[in-house]
Amino acid sequence: MLFIIDFDGTVAPADTVDALLEKFADPDWLRIEREWVEGRINSRQCMAAQLALISAGELTLRTFLESVMIDPAFAEFVRYVSPFADLAIVSDGLDYPIVHAMHKAGLSVPVYANRTEFRECGVGLSFPFSRPSCAVNSGVCKCSVAQTVDAGRGLTSVLIGDGRSDQCVAHQADFVFAKGSLITYCRDNGIPYTPFQSFADVLAAIRAWPVVPQPRAKEPQCPLVVA
Ligand SMILES: [Mg+2]
């Protein structure tokens, strides 16, 4: 089993990039946001243009991004599913706050997100997980990351997400936990989903699954060789 987990609005109840823009960017970021919502620019163009409007020093920005709060039940969720599932946080936001939040929570969950680049008086980003074939031109092609992490194993995939960046991969996932606008999208597109508000809800739903997934077979331990 493979959990593909969104970050902004999902693991972190607030949207990190929006919070950053609200605090440090020229208000013109809202006009750019509207262009993206209306489909006139893609998410890469949107984020690059918005982040260019930020004016603050590196230390200030790092401190802000390190203060991102995560869902209080996320750590328990990770501990519960880890024995029988692989997990990946796949976000079309910035990687720095995610990596920092996982480190702070003592969790080692692989992170696939846009690379944060601190600059002299602001912040930029690059797109190591974008793909020319991406149907929605995202910064991070969640469909391709899901495929890479699966690595041909044909794992049952579970998406946990809340927004526009989760729409494409929702079509491919075997099971979807949805909140926010992803609920409307799943409803409109006939994608079965389970609604959730927090990871406490996700955990409760997984614990109630009629078939409890069995832990994967562990590599046999090599016998201790005594010289
Ligand atoms: Mg989100």
Side-chain angles (χ1 to χ4, degrees):
M1 183 171 284
L2 169 63
F3 284 89
I4 299 292
I5 308 160
D6 173 57
F7 186 76
D8 291 309
T10 301
V11 175
D15 188 296
T16 310
V17 177
D18 285 358
L20 185 74
L21 293 167
E22 269 164 26
K23 198 159 171 66
F24 299 108
D26 181 287
D28 198 37
W29 74 269
L30 289 164
R31 180 188 56 78
I32 298 166
E33 186 83 0
R34 279 194 299 276
E35 287 192 12
W36 172 63
V37 170
E38 289 161 10
R40 283 184 278 143
I41 55 174
N42 64 42
S43 71
R44 271 177 291 163
Q45 294 166 321
C46 177
M47 270 188 295
Q50 288 179 322
L51 293 184
L53 297 173
I54 286 178
S55 176
E58 179 171 344
L59 185 62
T60 304
L61 293 172
R62 278 187 190 271
T63 304
F64 182 81
L65 292 173
E66 288 169 9
S67 71
V68 166
M69 303 296 289
I70 64 169
D71 186 305
F74 183 67
E76 193 186 348
F77 160 80
V78 172
R79 280 192 287 272
Y80 182 78
V81 302
S82 289
F84 60 82
D86 284 5
L87 298 92
I89 293 182
V90 190
S91 161
D92 203 13
L94 297 171
D95 64 354
Y96 183 80
I98 309 176
V99 171
H100 193 274
M102 290 305 105
H103 182 73
K104 202 157 80 176
L107 301 171
S108 58
V109 182
V111 174
Y112 301 84
N114 300 307
R115 190 161 295 147
T116 315
E117 293 172 352
F118 291 100
R119 295 174 182 164
E120 204 174 325
C121 194
V123 65
L125 77 176
S126 61
F127 306 102
F129 303 107
S130 72
R131 294 291 174 270
S133 58
C134 180
V136 288
N137 266 317
S138 287
V140 170
C141 177
K142 294 196 177 190
C143 294
S144 129
V145 170
Q147 231 173 20
T148 305
V149 177
D150 180 79
R153 291 176 291 172
L155 299 173
T156 300
S157 60
V158 182
L159 169 69
I160 308 174
D162 79 314
R164 201 176 161 114
S165 72
D166 306 303
Q167 292 178 356
C168 197
V169 72
H171 288 276
Q172 299 186 9
D174 295 304
F175 198 94
V176 176
F177 283 100
K179 71 189 264 198
S181 70
L182 188 61
I183 289 184
T184 316
Y185 184 82
C186 288
R187 224 183 262 154
D188 292 349
N189 288 273
I191 301 169
Y193 68 93
T194 297
F196 77 101
Q197 278 306 311
S198 72
F199 273 86
D201 301 334
V202 174
L203 201 49
I206 292 172
R207 284 186 165 134
W209 278 350
V211 178
V212 179
Q214 294 303 302
R216 288 170 295 159
K218 295 275 187 304
E219 283 286 308
Q221 294 293 311
C222 294
L224 186 66
V225 177
V226 182

mmCIF file of all heavy atoms in Angstrom, residues 116-144:
data_model
loop_
_atom_site.group_PDB
_atom_site.id
_atom_site.type_symbol
_atom_site.label_atom_id
_atom_site.label_comp_id
_atom_site.label_asym_id
_atom_site.label_seq_id
_atom_site.Cartn_x
_atom_site.Cartn_y
_atom_site.Cartn_z
ATOM 1 N N THR A 116 12.961 25.008 -2.579
ATOM 2 C CA THR A 116 13.010 26.387 -2.086
ATOM 3 C C THR A 116 14.401 26.951 -2.294
ATOM 4 O O THR A 116 15.394 26.309 -1.944
ATOM 5 C CB THR A 116 12.694 26.404 -0.567
ATOM 6 O OG1 THR A 116 11.567 25.567 -0.319
ATOM 7 C CG2 THR A 116 12.420 27.802 -0.073
ATOM 8 N N GLU A 117 14.477 28.140 -2.857
ATOM 9 C CA GLU A 117 15.782 28.783 -3.051
ATOM 10 C C GLU A 117 15.755 30.156 -2.393
ATOM 11 O O GLU A 117 15.082 31.071 -2.881
ATOM 12 C CB GLU A 117 16.072 28.907 -4.560
ATOM 13 C CG GLU A 117 16.271 27.545 -5.215
ATOM 14 C CD GLU A 117 16.370 27.625 -6.741
ATOM 15 O OE1 GLU A 117 16.142 28.713 -7.310
ATOM 16 O OE2 GLU A 117 16.667 26.579 -7.338
ATOM 17 N N PHE A 118 16.481 30.263 -1.273
ATOM 18 C CA PHE A 118 16.517 31.547 -0.580
ATOM 19 C C PHE A 118 17.422 32.503 -1.346
ATOM 20 O O PHE A 118 18.502 32.123 -1.802
ATOM 21 C CB PHE A 118 17.008 31.359 0.858
ATOM 22 C CG PHE A 118 16.005 30.620 1.701
ATOM 23 C CD1 PHE A 118 16.151 29.259 1.952
ATOM 24 C CD2 PHE A 118 14.901 31.285 2.223
ATOM 25 C CE1 PHE A 118 15.207 28.563 2.702
ATOM 26 C CE2 PHE A 118 13.958 30.595 2.978
ATOM 27 C CZ PHE A 118 14.114 29.246 3.218
ATOM 28 N N ARG A 119 16.946 33.733 -1.507
ATOM 29 C CA ARG A 119 17.732 34.755 -2.212
ATOM 30 C C ARG A 119 18.023 35.897 -1.260
ATOM 31 O O ARG A 119 17.555 35.899 -0.126
ATOM 32 C CB ARG A 119 16.961 35.224 -3.443
ATOM 33 C CG ARG A 119 16.829 34.048 -4.422
ATOM 34 C CD ARG A 119 15.977 34.333 -5.602
ATOM 35 N NE ARG A 119 15.916 33.088 -6.414
ATOM 36 C CZ ARG A 119 15.044 32.853 -7.353
ATOM 37 N NH1 ARG A 119 14.135 33.757 -7.642
ATOM 38 N NH2 ARG A 119 15.056 31.724 -8.030
ATOM 39 N N GLU A 120 18.790 36.863 -1.744
ATOM 40 C CA GLU A 120 19.243 37.935 -0.849
ATOM 41 C C GLU A 120 18.076 38.634 -0.150
ATOM 42 O O GLU A 120 18.116 38.917 1.036
ATOM 43 C CB GLU A 120 20.053 38.944 -1.655
ATOM 44 C CG GLU A 120 21.015 39.708 -0.773
ATOM 45 C CD GLU A 120 21.921 40.609 -1.590
ATOM 46 O OE1 GLU A 120 22.300 40.216 -2.719
ATOM 47 O OE2 GLU A 120 22.213 41.703 -1.114
ATOM 48 N N CYS A 121 17.013 38.887 -0.894
ATOM 49 C CA CYS A 121 15.895 39.617 -0.294
ATOM 50 C C CYS A 121 14.556 38.967 -0.670
ATOM 51 O O CYS A 121 13.606 39.641 -1.013
ATOM 52 C CB CYS A 121 15.947 41.062 -0.744
ATOM 53 S SG CYS A 121 14.883 42.115 0.243
ATOM 54 N N GLY A 122 14.520 37.669 -0.663
ATOM 55 C CA GLY A 122 13.272 36.999 -1.031
ATOM 56 C C GLY A 122 13.477 35.510 -1.182
ATOM 57 O O GLY A 122 14.427 34.937 -0.656
ATOM 58 N N VAL A 123 12.586 34.893 -1.905
ATOM 59 C CA VAL A 123 12.666 33.450 -2.070
ATOM 60 C C VAL A 123 12.167 33.073 -3.476
ATOM 61 O O VAL A 123 11.275 33.701 -4.016
ATOM 62 C CB VAL A 123 11.830 32.749 -0.951
ATOM 63 C CG1 VAL A 123 10.350 33.050 -1.069
ATOM 64 C CG2 VAL A 123 12.058 31.255 -0.914
ATOM 65 N N GLY A 124 12.821 32.075 -4.048
ATOM 66 C CA GLY A 124 12.401 31.588 -5.358
ATOM 67 C C GLY A 124 12.231 30.090 -5.282
ATOM 68 O O GLY A 124 12.301 29.492 -4.195
ATOM 69 N N LEU A 125 12.004 29.452 -6.403
ATOM 70 C CA LEU A 125 11.859 27.997 -6.383
ATOM 71 C C LEU A 125 12.249 27.397 -7.719
ATOM 72 O O LEU A 125 12.298 28.082 -8.736
ATOM 73 C CB LEU A 125 10.433 27.591 -5.992
ATOM 74 C CG LEU A 125 9.288 27.683 -7.012
ATOM 75 C CD1 LEU A 125 8.015 27.134 -6.405
ATOM 76 C CD2 LEU A 125 9.060 29.083 -7.491
ATOM 77 N N SER A 126 12.581 26.108 -7.677
ATOM 78 C CA SER A 126 12.826 25.367 -8.913
ATOM 79 C C SER A 126 11.965 24.102 -8.861
ATOM 80 O O SER A 126 11.398 23.770 -7.813
ATOM 81 C CB SER A 126 14.311 25.045 -9.077
ATOM 82 O OG SER A 126 14.751 24.251 -8.008
ATOM 83 N N PHE A 127 11.904 23.411 -9.999
ATOM 84 C CA PHE A 127 10.890 22.358 -10.152
ATOM 85 C C PHE A 127 11.508 21.003 -10.515
ATOM 86 O O PHE A 127 11.375 20.535 -11.640
ATOM 87 C CB PHE A 127 9.881 22.784 -11.220
ATOM 88 C CG PHE A 127 9.257 24.134 -10.973
ATOM 89 C CD1 PHE A 127 9.693 25.256 -11.679
ATOM 90 C CD2 PHE A 127 8.249 24.289 -10.031
ATOM 91 C CE1 PHE A 127 9.130 26.496 -11.441
ATOM 92 C CE2 PHE A 127 7.679 25.530 -9.791
ATOM 93 C CZ PHE A 127 8.124 26.637 -10.504
ATOM 94 N N PRO A 128 12.177 20.353 -9.576
ATOM 95 C CA PRO A 128 12.823 19.077 -9.916
ATOM 96 C C PRO A 128 11.827 17.957 -10.245
ATOM 97 O O PRO A 128 12.226 16.963 -10.843
ATOM 98 C CB PRO A 128 13.614 18.727 -8.647
ATOM 99 C CG PRO A 128 13.028 19.539 -7.560
ATOM 100 C CD PRO A 128 12.457 20.764 -8.184
ATOM 101 N N PHE A 129 10.552 18.118 -9.883
ATOM 102 C CA PHE A 129 9.577 17.046 -10.137
ATOM 103 C C PHE A 129 8.504 17.441 -11.153
ATOM 104 O O PHE A 129 7.443 16.844 -11.211
ATOM 105 C CB PHE A 129 8.926 16.589 -8.816
ATOM 106 C CG PHE A 129 9.931 16.127 -7.804
ATOM 107 C CD1 PHE A 129 10.231 16.901 -6.692
ATOM 108 C CD2 PHE A 129 10.627 14.942 -8.003
ATOM 109 C CE1 PHE A 129 11.190 16.497 -5.771
ATOM 110 C CE2 PHE A 129 11.596 14.521 -7.094
ATOM 111 C CZ PHE A 129 11.872 15.302 -5.973
ATOM 112 N N SER A 130 8.807 18.461 -11.978
ATOM 113 C CA SER A 130 7.863 18.780 -13.052
ATOM 114 C C SER A 130 8.159 17.851 -14.223
ATOM 115 O O SER A 130 9.283 17.353 -14.360
ATOM 116 C CB SER A 130 7.994 20.239 -13.480
ATOM 117 O OG SER A 130 9.189 20.437 -14.180
ATOM 118 N N ARG A 131 7.158 17.578 -15.022
ATOM 119 C CA ARG A 131 7.325 16.689 -16.177
ATOM 120 C C ARG A 131 6.657 17.317 -17.393
ATOM 121 O O ARG A 131 5.519 17.780 -17.280
ATOM 122 C CB ARG A 131 6.685 15.314 -15.909
ATOM 123 C CG ARG A 131 7.363 14.504 -14.811
ATOM 124 C CD ARG A 131 8.758 14.012 -15.214
ATOM 125 N NE ARG A 131 9.458 13.360 -14.118
ATOM 126 C CZ ARG A 131 10.259 13.969 -13.243
ATOM 127 N NH1 ARG A 131 10.454 15.261 -13.321
ATOM 128 N NH2 ARG A 131 10.860 13.286 -12.292
ATOM 129 N N PRO A 132 7.327 17.301 -18.557
ATOM 130 C CA PRO A 132 6.704 17.885 -19.752
ATOM 131 C C PRO A 132 5.375 17.209 -20.095
ATOM 132 O O PRO A 132 4.478 17.824 -20.644
ATOM 133 C CB PRO A 132 7.732 17.629 -20.868
ATOM 134 C CG PRO A 132 9.000 17.244 -20.185
ATOM 135 C CD PRO A 132 8.659 16.737 -18.823
ATOM 136 N N SER A 133 5.257 15.935 -19.699
ATOM 137 C CA SER A 133 4.041 15.186 -20.030
ATOM 138 C C SER A 133 2.893 15.457 -19.045
ATOM 139 O O SER A 133 1.791 14.939 -19.232
ATOM 140 C CB SER A 133 4.360 13.689 -20.011
ATOM 141 O OG SER A 133 4.860 13.330 -18.732
ATOM 142 N N CYS A 134 3.141 16.259 -18.009
ATOM 143 C CA CYS A 134 2.130 16.472 -16.966
ATOM 144 C C CYS A 134 0.870 17.104 -17.554
ATOM 145 O O CYS A 134 0.926 18.167 -18.174
ATOM 146 C CB CYS A 134 2.695 17.369 -15.867
ATOM 147 S SG CYS A 134 1.540 17.692 -14.532
ATOM 148 N N ALA A 135 -0.251 16.440 -17.324
ATOM 149 C CA ALA A 135 -1.515 16.879 -17.928
ATOM 150 C C ALA A 135 -1.927 18.271 -17.450
ATOM 151 O O ALA A 135 -2.605 18.993 -18.174
ATOM 152 C CB ALA A 135 -2.606 15.868 -17.601
ATOM 153 N N VAL A 136 -1.531 18.637 -16.229
ATOM 154 C CA VAL A 136 -1.981 19.923 -15.695
ATOM 155 C C VAL A 136 -0.829 20.921 -15.504
ATOM 156 O O VAL A 136 -1.014 21.968 -14.893
ATOM 157 C CB VAL A 136 -2.744 19.731 -14.359
ATOM 158 C CG1 VAL A 136 -4.100 19.116 -14.622
ATOM 159 C CG2 VAL A 136 -1.963 18.867 -13.383
ATOM 160 N N ASN A 137 0.358 20.597 -16.035
ATOM 161 C CA ASN A 137 1.498 21.516 -15.969
ATOM 162 C C ASN A 137 1.840 21.960 -14.555
ATOM 163 O O ASN A 137 2.145 23.125 -14.307
ATOM 164 C CB ASN A 137 1.203 22.769 -16.804
ATOM 165 C CG ASN A 137 1.757 22.618 -18.188
ATOM 166 O OD1 ASN A 137 2.881 22.148 -18.363
ATOM 167 N ND2 ASN A 137 0.978 23.007 -19.174
ATOM 168 N N SER A 138 1.773 21.047 -13.606
ATOM 169 C CA SER A 138 2.070 21.395 -12.214
ATOM 170 C C SER A 138 3.564 21.586 -12.000
ATOM 171 O O SER A 138 4.376 21.119 -12.802
ATOM 172 C CB SER A 138 1.622 20.259 -11.298
ATOM 173 O OG SER A 138 0.243 20.225 -11.204
ATOM 174 N N GLY A 139 3.917 22.230 -10.880
ATOM 175 C CA GLY A 139 5.317 22.294 -10.485
ATOM 176 C C GLY A 139 5.791 20.884 -10.159
ATOM 177 O O GLY A 139 6.855 20.436 -10.588
ATOM 178 N N VAL A 140 5.000 20.167 -9.382
ATOM 179 C CA VAL A 140 5.260 18.761 -9.081
ATOM 180 C C VAL A 140 4.177 17.934 -9.777
ATOM 181 O O VAL A 140 2.994 18.127 -9.512
ATOM 182 C CB VAL A 140 5.205 18.483 -7.560
ATOM 183 C CG1 VAL A 140 5.221 16.988 -7.268
ATOM 184 C CG2 VAL A 140 6.372 19.168 -6.860
ATOM 185 N N CYS A 141 4.610 17.045 -10.669
ATOM 186 C CA CYS A 141 3.637 16.169 -11.331
ATOM 187 C C CYS A 141 3.349 15.017 -10.362
ATOM 188 O O CYS A 141 4.130 14.076 -10.240
ATOM 189 C CB CYS A 141 4.185 15.644 -12.653
ATOM 190 S SG CYS A 141 3.056 14.501 -13.454
ATOM 191 N N LYS A 142 2.230 15.121 -9.629
ATOM 192 C CA LYS A 142 1.942 14.125 -8.591
ATOM 193 C C LYS A 142 1.735 12.733 -9.188
ATOM 194 O O LYS A 142 2.060 11.734 -8.557
ATOM 195 C CB LYS A 142 0.723 14.564 -7.768
ATOM 196 C CG LYS A 142 0.985 15.840 -6.954
ATOM 197 C CD LYS A 142 -0.050 16.059 -5.868
ATOM 198 C CE LYS A 142 0.296 17.299 -5.041
ATOM 199 N NZ LYS A 142 -0.516 17.460 -3.837
ATOM 200 N N CYS A 143 1.191 12.687 -10.405
ATOM 201 C CA CYS A 143 0.972 11.384 -11.046
ATOM 202 C C CYS A 143 2.302 10.689 -11.296
ATOM 203 O O CYS A 143 2.463 9.493 -11.031
ATOM 204 C CB CYS A 143 0.213 11.559 -12.364
ATOM 205 S SG CYS A 143 -1.463 12.163 -12.141
ATOM 206 N N SER A 144 3.273 11.451 -11.792
ATOM 207 C CA SER A 144 4.569 10.842 -12.096
ATOM 208 C C SER A 144 5.321 10.454 -10.819
ATOM 209 O O SER A 144 5.987 9.413 -10.766
ATOM 210 C CB SER A 144 5.377 11.782 -13.004
ATOM 211 O OG SER A 144 6.642 12.009 -12.518
#
